[in-house]
Amino acid sequence: SPIDGTVLTWEARRRLEQLPVQANQPVLSVAKLDGPWQVELMIPQNRVGYVTRALQENPAKQLETEFVLATNPNVRIKGRLLRIAERAEADPSGALAFRAIVEVDKAGLTNPQPGAGVSSRGNCGQQPVGFVWVFQIVDFVRTHLWF
């Protein structure tokens, strides 16, 4: 491994015994658990415009975020959205999404578990409450009926 860390692959020794390996095939996941933590998000393409606009309007080019871990949904953890990918790619469900990296406030993490799912919310600024409630309908009308 290029880093010193903890092997995250489940039962690695048993899994790797007699495993035929091809060139460039990943066989182990190793993480540096005592270093800084990040969350990788997949932002749906129909919401990335709001996020990039908020990043452009923010002089620090960072966006406050809040998320909960699927393994502990009772605790809200703060973070800062640092960057978003330049192009979309298919997420596991096949929908197009943009990868984004969130720097995590490690103080909020109790018993972190690499690979756990998260639900996140980013502060994209203020909008009228009516728009916030129905923005998905407005976006659908704009892209499918008025276009």
Side-chain angles (χ1 to χ4, degrees):
S1 170
I3 63 169
D4 291 332
T6 304
V7 175
L8 301 177
T9 304
W10 177 254
E11 295 186 354
R13 184 176 308 273
R14 195 180 105 217
R15 181 178 169 263
L16 294 175
E17 287 178 357
Q18 300 178 7
L19 176 72
V21 179
Q22 298 175 1
N24 297 323
Q25 177 184 356
V27 292
L28 288 175
S29 294
V30 178
K32 188 174 181 180
L33 299 179
D34 59 345
W37 280 67
Q38 296 179 336
V39 171
E40 183 178 308
L41 301 176
M42 297 295 282
I43 302 174
Q45 67 177 348
N46 65 339
R47 295 189 182 180
V48 78
Y50 299 109
V51 176
T52 55
R53 187 176 315 119
L55 280 171
Q56 290 169 352
E57 293 172 357
N58 185 339
K61 299 295 184 213
Q62 295 181 354
L63 192 64
E64 290 181 23
T65 60
E66 186 177 66
F67 61 92
V68 294
L69 294 169
T71 57
N72 188 3
N74 298 321
V75 177
R76 292 177 185 232
I77 301 166
K78 303 239 183 252
R80 289 166 298 287
L81 179 69
L82 299 179
R83 64 184 185 275
I84 299 176
E86 296 294 323
R87 68 179 197 77
E89 56 188 71
D91 68 9
S93 69
L96 290 178
F98 290 80
R99 288 187 187 270
I101 299 296
V102 174
E103 181 182 65
V104 176
D105 179 10
K106 200 171 177 180
L109 287 174
T110 56
N111 190 23
Q113 296 177 303
V118 300
S119 295
S120 68
R121 181 183 345 188
N123 181 1
C124 292
Q126 295 185 353
Q127 293 288 335
V129 70
F131 178 77
V132 172
W133 286 344
V134 298
F135 80 94
Q136 290 178 318
I137 297 169
V138 171
D139 287 349
F140 179 84
V141 169
R142 286 179 178 164
T143 57
H144 292 90
L145 301 178
W146 286 352
F147 183 69

